[in-house]
Amino acid sequence: MSELHTHQLLSDDSGTETIEPEETIISDEKPHEIAEKSFADYNVRADIVESLADAGITHPFPIQAMTLPVALSGHDIIGQAKTGTGKTLGFGIPALQRVVGPDDAGFDKLPAPGAPQAMVIVPTRELAVQVANDLQNASRKRNARIATIYGGRAYEPQVEALQKGVEVVVGTPGRLIDLYKQKHLVLKNVKIVVLDEADEMLDLGFLPDVETLIAGTPAVRQTLLFSATMPGPVIAMARRYMTQPTHIRAADPDDEGLTKRDIRQLIYRAHSMDKTEVVARILQARGRGRTIIFTKTKRTAAKVAEELVDRGFAAAAIHGDLGQGAREQALRAFRNNKVDVLVATDVAARGIDVDDVTHVINYQCVEDEKIYLHRVGRTGRAGNKGTAVTFVDWDDMPRWGLINKALGLSVPEPIETYSSSAHLYEDLDIPEGTKGRLPRSKRTLAGVDAEVLEDLGETGKKTTRSSGRDSARESGRSGGRDAGRTGSREGSRRSGGETGGRSGDRRRRSSESATDAATGPAAGSAATATADGEQPSRARRNRTRTRRRNGEVVAGSESAATGSQPSGTEA
């Protein structure tokens, strides 16, 4: 493997934020297995090597070969690598190696035995699940317990896992902060902190939460930061929390653009009314495997998935309006080959780590070049080839011009393309005569419903009318927790003269009439409020009692008590 060891100042694009690493290591090889090396050659524990071998992983990738010697020696690392280069094990193996398992010597001498010793912070739920699965595979024979902490699931199982004891915690900043503030997450044991996709956490506004979590860990620790790009705030955070880090960058000399050269990129100017027809033909291209379609909005994702299913394709949607259980069901169905088309918003852009995604389709023009990189990085992973197709609307041409210039794609004017265009069939190797519906003979996959939908005890999801936000709305409508369905709406109907056919209502109206005759209108209103016990109605009647005379406020209750009209002058 060809490596360049140098000393370079790391700075952001503007040059305002800089950090001076102890050393800079640059690789000039594309992602591939290094056959002449094994993980055992880097002094990785035998049980971790065996676990990886059982998962079919025997040789490291270049980013792993550069990271492991530095990380296993305890140095801080700033890793800069494109998506799909295999960096998860680059930080996962050192984390698993450094922790002390329950059966290891020195476990009882920890400041808080059973509390996490390694913390991996990631920006999205899907990425947390993916990273945790990779670490689980690497620790099958290692006595290291791993907990995944993220939102959308019930708190109780996560709290229970922490109380039982874990060595490694993988999570998103929001839920980690919640459990840390509730004293369920104890950080005094933490020896190693990993920040994965730090630039994405910056974009999502998580950096303050991340800094709070890091500040809760011991001052003496190892910190590994991985990011595809290095914006100023990320460099500033690295300067505050890292000690003489080593900068590791995986670069491919033949990859002149910012995107990986293993990805073939096609950009078409397509009409919005014809996009579904174009997609349906692309999905029937020769050699097409798993495919991800990215959309801008949740509504578009749901609509496109529904139309593709109607056309016979095994498609599933994943977006923010779905509960966490449905999102994980769609991802499992995608990984288990029950569906081969996943329609997603950016919520999944960095959380899907499936090596054999052959096609990525941007259904609409992306917002900027960073989002473009993250999306197309879902294909062409682990040295495989991939195809990325991007649709650009006529209105998006100015934005596309900026993205094209930033990435150096040399496609300033995308070719106008329709579902009947000859170059579409030629570019993507689509058989002649292909139509917009999948033939019944090719509908072989089971579909998303074949995957079990887990009950996660989700927070914030609409499940029944008596739970979550719906129950809050119901209680708000009823004017109180125990008012049931006889709240302010019922009270307003009764005050407006609605009979409802109930004897209780008739008895109340009879008593109201008797009280009106005895004490007058105001006292009758007070009696009705007392009988019904309805807070909203009482507040409304209190407002009607207030009278103004000659600019002075005179309470109606006083005049009702005296049985006379309020005086026009004060004594």
Side-chain angles (χ1 to χ4, degrees):
M1 184 182 70
S2 178
E3 289 182 7
L4 174 63
H5 292 250
T6 182
H7 188 86
Q8 296 179 358
L9 190 69
L10 180 60
S11 64
D12 64 346
D13 294 336
S14 64
T16 56
E17 295 289 352
T18 61
I19 185 173
E20 185 175 357
E22 186 177 26
E23 185 183 21
T24 300
I25 305 175
I26 302 174
S27 166
D28 61 355
E29 292 194 77
K30 67 178 184 179
H32 70 287
E33 289 189 347
I34 305 171
E36 64 271 15
K37 290 281 188 179
S38 70
F39 287 101
D41 295 330
Y42 297 96
N43 297 320
V44 178
R45 287 178 56 122
D47 47 9
I48 297 178
V49 174
E50 292 175 9
S51 300
L52 291 172
D54 290 345
I57 303 171
T58 55
H59 304 292
F61 276 46
I63 185 68
Q64 298 162 4
M66 290 189 296
T67 303
L68 288 177
V70 180
L72 292 176
S73 64
H75 284 77
D76 289 358
I77 288 178
I78 297 175
Q80 200 170 353
K82 293 175 183 174
T83 304
T85 53
K87 61 181 182 293
T88 302
L89 289 180
F91 63 74
I93 291 175
L96 293 173
Q97 180 122 341
R98 289 205 63 185
V99 301
V100 179
D103 301 330
D104 296 343
F107 181 79
D108 296 331
K109 296 179 181 179
L110 293 171
Q117 301 167 51
M119 178 170 61
V120 182
I121 308 175
V122 297
T124 65
R125 300 173 183 178
E126 285 71 30
L127 187 56
V129 173
Q130 182 60 50
V131 170
N133 287 340
D134 289 345
L135 296 186
Q136 293 281 8
N137 289 334
S139 63
R140 296 290 182 195
K141 299 184 178 181
R142 169 86 167 97
N143 57 341
R145 297 164 292 182
I146 300 169
T148 312
I149 307 294
Y150 58 93
R153 280 179 171 256
Y155 279 84
E156 292 78 9
Q158 298 176 358
V159 172
E160 184 180 352
L162 293 174
Q163 290 174 346
K164 287 182 178 179
V166 298
E167 280 64 60
V168 181
V169 62
V170 181
T172 53
R175 181 57 65 90
L176 289 173
I177 279 284
D178 285 347
L179 297 182
Y180 173 64
K181 290 181 176 179
Q182 295 171 21
K183 310 297 184 186
H184 295 302
L185 178 63
V186 180
L187 300 178
K188 61 176 66 176
N189 273 3
V190 172
K191 304 174 181 178
I192 179 170
V193 174
V194 179
L195 307 178
D196 192 18
E197 306 285 11
D199 53 347
E200 177 75 358
M201 285 193 274
L202 169 66
D203 293 340
L204 296 175
F206 287 148
L207 281 196
D209 289 343
V210 171
E211 295 191 16
T212 301
L213 289 168
I214 295 177
T217 61
V220 179
R221 66 175 181 277
Q222 183 181 12
T223 306
L224 309 180
L225 185 150
F226 287 85
S227 182
T229 58
M230 297 302 295
V234 172
I235 293 179
M237 183 176 66
R239 192 172 58 244
R240 283 195 298 273
Y241 296 106
M242 304 182 79
T243 305
Q244 293 184 317
T246 299
H247 180 212
I248 295 177
R249 190 168 79 240
D252 187 348
D254 298 324
D255 190 359
E256 297 178 355
L258 291 176
T259 52
K260 303 208 313 299
R261 64 171 180 171
D262 291 331
I263 303 174
R264 180 182 178 218
Q265 298 168 70
L266 301 171
I267 294 88
Y268 296 134
R269 184 162 28 171
H271 195 283
S272 58
M273 301 295 289
D274 193 46
K275 284 182 181 178
T276 307
E277 290 287 344
V278 176
V279 169
R281 284 157 175 77
I282 293 175
L283 295 180
Q284 298 179 66
R286 295 184 180 94
R288 199 270 300 178
R290 289 190 178 97
T291 302
I292 303 176
I293 303 172
F294 284 109
T295 65
K296 276 185 182 178
T297 65
K298 296 175 282 190
R299 181 175 296 180
T300 306
K303 179 183 176 183
V304 171
E306 184 179 347
E307 289 186 2
L308 291 177
V309 170
D310 184 61
R311 291 169 180 266
F313 297 96
I318 174 171
H319 53 78
D321 276 351
L322 293 176
Q324 188 61 30
R327 286 161 64 168
E328 294 189 13
Q329 177 194 29
L331 280 175
R332 283 198 310 274
F334 188 62
R335 291 194 179 100
N336 296 336
N337 210 32
K338 293 177 181 176
V339 301
D340 61 352
V341 180
L342 192 65
V343 187
T345 55
D346 284 321
V347 70
R350 294 201 182 200
I352 305 171
D353 188 12
V354 182
D355 290 341
D356 55 350
V357 172
T358 61
H359 289 67
V360 164
I361 300 174
N362 288 313
Y363 196 77
Q364 291 134 327
C365 181
V366 297
E367 294 295 326
D368 55 44
E369 65 273 11
K370 289 195 295 182
I371 296 177
Y372 182 88
L373 290 175
H374 301 159
R375 287 184 177 183
V376 302
R378 296 306 100 197
T379 186
R381 300 174 72 86
N384 295 323
K385 300 292 184 180
T387 301
V389 180
T390 300
F391 295 149
V392 180
D393 292 336
W394 272 256
D395 293 343
D396 292 325
M397 288 301 295
R399 181 190 297 134
W400 172 253
L402 296 174
I403 296 171
N404 175 72
K405 184 177 179 181
L407 297 178
L409 297 178
S410 303
V411 191
E413 290 287 337
I415 185 172
E416 192 171 328
T417 303
Y418 298 93
S419 56
S420 58
S421 299
H423 63 265
L424 175 69
Y425 286 73
E426 182 179 347
D427 291 347
L428 290 152
D429 195 17
I430 302 172
E432 289 187 17
T434 299
K435 301 298 182 184
R437 303 185 69 86
L438 186 67
R440 293 189 178 276
S441 60
K442 296 182 179 180
R443 302 179 187 182
T444 57
L445 300 183
V448 67
D449 291 334
E451 191 67 42
V452 177
L453 176 61
E454 290 185 271
D455 182 8
L456 305 179
E458 298 170 34
T459 58
K461 181 192 172 189
K462 297 179 183 178
T463 51
T464 63
R465 292 186 60 82
S466 60
S467 64
R469 287 171 290 183
D470 286 347
S471 65
R473 276 199 294 269
E474 290 297 326
S475 63
R477 290 178 189 143
S478 63
R481 278 195 214 100
D482 52 357
R485 293 185 178 270
T486 60
S488 59
R489 287 183 296 170
E490 293 290 331
S492 62
R493 288 173 189 156
R494 284 197 295 272
S495 63
E498 180 179 324
T499 59
R502 295 183 183 178
S503 60
D505 290 343
R506 285 197 296 271
R507 283 197 298 272
R508 271 194 290 273
R509 280 194 294 275
S510 300
S511 63
E512 290 167 10
S513 300
T515 309
D516 287 347
T519 61
S525 299
T528 305
T530 305
D532 287 351
E534 292 167 1
Q535 188 66 28
S537 299
R538 185 165 62 247
R540 187 162 54 251
R541 281 189 286 272
N542 282 339
R543 286 196 298 272
T544 60
R545 289 194 205 115
T546 303
R547 300 287 186 270
R548 289 181 182 273
R549 191 173 294 278
N550 294 335
E552 298 293 335
V553 177
V554 181
S557 58
E558 295 176 2
S559 63
T562 60
S564 61
Q565 294 297 324
S567 173
T569 60
E570 301 250 356

